[in-house]
Amino acid sequence: MIIFDLICSENHVFEGWFGSSEDYHKQKQNNLLSCPHCGSNEVQKSVMAPNIGMKSNQRLSHRPHIDTSPTEQIVDIEAASNSAEVPKAVTKQVSNAENVAHAALDKAMVETLTKVQNALLKESTWVGHKFTDEVRAIHYGESDHRQIHGHVSEEQASDLIDEGIDIAPLPMPYIPPDMKN
């Protein structure tokens, strides 16, 4: 399996998983690749940096500082992107780099949300389809106060909110314990 960072004509960056580099080229030739954001079929490989680990005897004792603040050159390129002085390829590279940075930020946010949700769920009890009954019992003092999570339909959730019962959806998809392998 090989993973390529792909970019569409609208500068949306996304991953594509292929059996081989040849599979990518076949799908590209047959116009089978499309952007999941906008549906564009004008898709090409994006600039990628491979993640190759160092040998164990070459590991750094500390991480080097990498300045990620915007540089004046990028600002100048953006400001001059319509002028004849800056080739369109350079402007597109800057745009591609921005999209890759946004994709990395999106990935970091998803990872953070996942960690937060997992920490919250450690202190919570899975009640499955009994969620509505359990949360009402807790709200009306018929059961001890505790954190719970479970299944609830949109209609049931709306009814609970109308009753003044505070509930919130989980921010990330969740696989119930009885459905895990």
Side-chain angles (χ1 to χ4, degrees):
M1 187 64 60
I2 188 167
I3 303 171
F4 291 129
D5 282 340
L6 304 176
I7 188 165
C8 75
S9 59
E10 298 296 318
N11 291 324
H12 297 125
V13 176
F14 55 97
E15 284 185 352
W17 293 47
F18 303 92
S20 66
S21 186
E22 185 178 296
D23 287 345
Y24 162 79
H25 291 293
K26 284 180 184 177
Q27 289 185 32
K28 174 112 172 100
Q29 284 176 345
N30 294 324
N31 211 21
L32 297 174
L33 301 177
S34 64
C35 175
H37 302 284
C38 66
S40 171
N41 285 14
E42 294 179 42
V43 174
Q44 63 186 10
K45 287 185 196 174
S46 180
V47 178
M48 292 177 49
N51 185 8
I52 300 173
M54 299 174 85
K55 290 194 246 177
S56 62
N57 65 351
Q58 293 179 329
R59 298 213 187 268
L60 296 173
S61 59
H62 69 281
R63 292 182 160 217
H65 173 72
I66 299 172
D67 184 10
T68 58
S69 61
T71 64
E72 204 169 299
Q73 288 177 320
I74 291 177
V75 173
D76 289 343
I77 289 171
E78 289 174 350
S81 63
N82 293 328
S83 74
E85 295 174 21
V86 180
K88 292 219 183 272
V90 172
T91 304
K92 190 167 186 169
Q93 278 184 327
V94 169
S95 179
N96 289 350
E98 289 172 351
N99 285 333
V100 169
H102 287 293
L105 181 60
D106 289 347
K107 182 178 178 183
M109 287 190 318
V110 167
E111 288 172 353
T112 301
L113 276 174
T114 300
K115 287 178 184 175
V116 168
Q117 178 170 299
N118 288 341
L120 290 172
L121 293 179
K122 280 184 183 178
E123 304 298 321
S124 182
T125 304
W126 171 255
V127 294
H129 290 284
K130 297 177 184 176
F131 181 82
T132 305
D133 295 333
E134 290 288 327
V135 78
R136 278 192 176 112
I138 292 169
H139 179 76
Y140 293 113
E142 299 165 4
S143 183
D144 292 336
H145 178 77
R146 66 191 191 283
Q147 297 294 325
I148 62 171
H149 60 285
H151 288 293
V152 64
S153 70
E154 285 184 41
E155 184 180 333
Q156 290 170 325
S158 179
D159 290 344
L160 291 170
I161 291 168
D162 289 345
E163 285 181 51
I165 300 173
D166 293 327
I167 60 169
L170 293 173
M172 302 298 298
Y174 176 76
I175 300 173
D178 56 346
M179 299 202 51
K180 291 182 182 177
N181 289 344

